[in-house]
Amino acid sequence: MDTAQLVALNAAYARAIDNEQYERWPELFHDPCFYKVTTADNVARGYEAGIIYADSRGMLEDRVSALRKANIYERQRYRHIVGLPVVLGMADGTAEVETPFLIVRIMRDGQMDVFATGCYRDKVRPDATGAPRFAERIAVCDGGRFDTLVAIPF
Amino acid sequence: MDTAQLVALNAAYARAIDNEQYERWPELFHDPCFYKVTTADNVARGYEAGIIYADSRGMLEDRVSALRKANIYERQRYRHIVGLPVVLGMADGTAEVETPFLIVRIMRDGQMDVFATGCYRDKVRPDATGAPRFAERIAVCDGGRFDTLVAIPF
Amino acid sequence: MDTAQLVALNAAYARAIDNEQYERWPELFHDPCFYKVTTADNVARGYEAGIIYADSRGMLEDRVSALRKANIYERQRYRHIVGLPVVLGMADGTAEVETPFLIVRIMRDGQMDVFATGCYRDKVRPDATGAPRFAERIAVCDGGRFDTLVAIPF
């Protein structure tokens, strides 16, 4: 697994969400998996609980269903700008990676704000076909505006 | 045409605009070409018209001239942060690519805001010398502050 | 020195600062070195002075010490989103590189703003072990909120 593959995986991840092709998002994970959205403050304090949590593709798919219903009411769009991945280590075919992100939220009236910034802490390994997939993705937010009805995937 | 070349093309594009070397911007296109700035809303509604439109290098150069004159009055700067390109397909030597972008506007007094975010939808193929150039670039904005006298290239 | 190495160097730089592992920051420079934070306005006017200046690892380390003391009072976090590097030339084993950046500041209450945008103008060459290090890094800010007690490295 090289940097080019990690870059492609991250680009596909951002594109699925920003193009509102949410159904493609769970496909980028292994099953079972570990997905969590938390904050740097919570991590620093040793809190295990996250804002969002899933440990299977089924749970990720449930989130997509909830999002599709909520989206009838909330019409904001999001734009992920994903930074450069740093490979911290490689063990048993699994890469440990950190990748910074910035998410801009675009309201229906065109108003934009920085919705969240942070760092993805990932474990990535290939699936049976050789395609790299997330065994684990923890989105550690520096801060954020967690005021939406049902949050998009981070 | 590989990802490294697409990254280099996008970096050169952003640099030409942000360093105010606008004359280098048309050189990154084929002639004829197709360049359009539009919004995600317009695309979703099937509207063909764009905020900015050009189908030749000559039209792009006209825009640069207009910008040079307008800049006597407007002194803001811009900064493009271009994300990771996703190659969607390759046909007849032309790559179809999507690349997210974020543009920050810096006013004369140092005030900054997110000016626009969106996604470039590109068709890229090499010119006679082998250098990759845009046959087509459609900047689809998620939203934006389209209030400047003469917009910079997106 | 190839683009992948420059990307890795920039990612390590951003990570050291954003993860508040400031002690790793001077290690990314040669000794002696040249580090300066300035503004596009100052560069355009030919002003040599910078907001921050250092010409040795020792000076960079002093800045880290000052930052560690100031951080008792100021608890904001930062997030660097580093763009795609453009290699402008290569001479005597030293690469001349420009890389755009965007820094978001996250206040203690979760409020976020665009803290600075700009372009790194770098000279990069390998150290004795072959690892690429900054011989020179000039952070040219488009604008910025330079109101902190002791600024983080840009």
Side-chain angles (χ1 to χ4, degrees):
Chain A
M1 211 155 18
D2 59 18
T3 300
Q5 285 181 296
L6 293 170
V7 162
L9 177 62
N10 273 291
Y13 185 98
R15 186 171 180 270
I17 300 169
D18 294 346
N19 284 4
E20 303 185 345
Q21 300 170 317
Y22 303 126
E23 286 71 16
R24 292 190 181 177
W25 172 65
E27 296 168 9
L28 300 174
F29 289 83
H30 287 277
D31 190 16
C33 61
F34 185 80
Y35 174 72
K36 190 165 78 169
V37 178
T38 187
T39 64
D41 262 6
N42 280 357
V43 170
R45 288 172 188 165
Y47 294 170
E48 286 296 322
I51 300 163
I52 306 176
Y53 170 86
D55 62 9
S56 68
R57 274 200 186 175
M59 282 184 73
L60 297 173
E61 285 158 5
D62 285 350
R63 172 152 288 273
V64 170
S65 301
L67 193 57
R68 286 284 180 211
K69 282 180 198 131
N71 260 12
I72 300 167
Y73 306 104
E74 298 199 67
R75 294 302 306 279
Q76 56 266 38
R77 296 175 63 84
Y78 296 86
R79 178 61 57 186
H80 287 64
I81 302 290
V82 179
L84 310 170
V86 180
V87 179
L88 301 177
M90 183 79 78
D92 300 327
T94 300
E96 196 184 338
V97 190
E98 276 191 23
T99 307
F101 65 83
L102 178 157
I103 309 175
V104 175
R105 180 169 60 176
I106 304 98
M107 307 307 285
R108 209 174 182 169
D109 63 3
Q111 181 69 28
M112 289 175 294
D113 56 38
V114 177
F115 176 66
T117 65
C119 188
Y120 295 123
R121 296 186 186 174
D122 299 329
K123 287 184 180 152
V124 180
R125 56 184 166 77
D127 66 10
T129 72
R133 295 289 176 257
F134 296 108
E136 185 171 313
R137 162 151 278 196
I138 303 177
V140 181
C141 299
D142 299 320
R145 300 188 166 84
F146 306 117
D147 55 0
T148 41
L149 197 57
V150 177
I152 53 136
F154 275 67
Chain B
M1 211 157 15
D2 58 18
T3 301
Q5 285 182 296
L6 293 170
V7 161
L9 177 62
N10 273 290
Y13 185 99
R15 187 172 179 269
I17 300 169
D18 295 345
N19 284 4
E20 302 184 348
Q21 299 169 318
Y22 303 127
E23 285 72 15
R24 291 191 181 177
W25 172 65
E27 297 168 9
L28 300 174
F29 288 82
H30 286 277
D31 190 16
C33 61
F34 185 80
Y35 174 73
K36 191 165 79 168
V37 178
T38 187
T39 65
D41 262 6
N42 280 357
V43 169
R45 288 171 189 165
Y47 294 170
E48 286 297 322
I51 300 163
I52 306 176
Y53 169 86
D55 62 9
S56 69
R57 273 200 188 176
M59 283 184 73
L60 296 174
E61 285 158 5
D62 285 351
R63 171 153 287 273
V64 170
S65 302
L67 192 57
R68 286 284 180 212
K69 283 180 198 130
N71 259 11
I72 299 167
Y73 307 103
E74 300 198 68
R75 295 301 307 279
Q76 57 265 38
R77 295 176 64 86
Y78 297 86
R79 178 61 57 187
H80 287 65
I81 302 290
V82 178
L84 310 170
V86 180
V87 179
L88 301 177
M90 184 79 78
D92 300 327
T94 300
E96 195 182 339
V97 189
E98 278 191 21
T99 307
F101 65 84
L102 178 157
I103 309 176
V104 175
R105 180 170 60 176
I106 304 99
M107 306 307 285
R108 210 174 180 170
D109 63 2
Q111 181 68 30
M112 290 174 294
D113 56 38
V114 177
F115 176 66
T117 65
C119 188
Y120 295 123
R121 296 186 187 173
D122 299 329
K123 288 182 181 153
V124 180
R125 56 184 166 77
D127 67 9
T129 72
R133 294 288 176 257
F134 296 108
E136 186 172 313
R137 164 151 278 196
I138 303 178
V140 182
C141 298
D142 299 319
R145 301 189 166 84
F146 306 117
D147 55 1
T148 42
L149 198 56
V150 177
I152 52 135
F154 276 66
Chain C
M1 212 156 15
D2 58 18
T3 300
Q5 285 182 295
L6 293 170
V7 162
L9 176 62
N10 272 290
Y13 185 99
R15 186 171 181 269
I17 301 170
D18 294 347
N19 285 3
E20 303 184 345
Q21 299 169 318
Y22 303 126
E23 285 71 16
R24 292 190 181 177
W25 172 64
E27 297 168 9
L28 300 174
F29 288 83
H30 287 277
D31 190 16
C33 61
F34 186 80
Y35 174 72
K36 190 164 79 169
V37 178
T38 186
T39 65
D41 262 5
N42 280 357
V43 169
R45 287 172 189 164
Y47 294 170
E48 286 297 322
I51 300 163
I52 306 176
Y53 169 86
D55 63 9
S56 69
R57 274 201 186 173
M59 282 184 74
L60 296 174
E61 286 158 4
D62 285 351
R63 172 152 289 271
V64 170
S65 301
L67 193 56
R68 286 286 181 210
K69 282 181 197 129
N71 259 12
I72 299 168
Y73 307 102
E74 300 198 67
R75 293 302 307 279
Q76 58 266 38
R77 296 175 63 85
Y78 296 86
R79 179 61 58 186
H80 286 65
I81 303 290
V82 179
L84 311 170
V86 180
V87 179
L88 301 178
M90 184 79 78
D92 300 327
T94 299
E96 196 183 339
V97 189
E98 277 191 23
T99 307
F101 64 84
L102 179 156
I103 309 175
V104 176
R105 179 170 60 176
I106 304 98
M107 307 306 285
R108 209 174 182 170
D109 63 2
Q111 181 68 29
M112 289 174 294
D113 57 38
V114 177
F115 176 66
T117 64
C119 188
Y120 295 122
R121 298 187 185 173
D122 299 330
K123 288 185 180 150
V124 180
R125 56 183 166 79
D127 67 9
T129 71
R133 295 288 176 258
F134 297 107
E136 185 171 312
R137 162 151 279 194
I138 304 177
V140 181
C141 298
D142 299 319
R145 300 186 167 85
F146 306 117
D147 54 1
T148 41
L149 198 55
V150 176
I152 52 135
F154 276 66

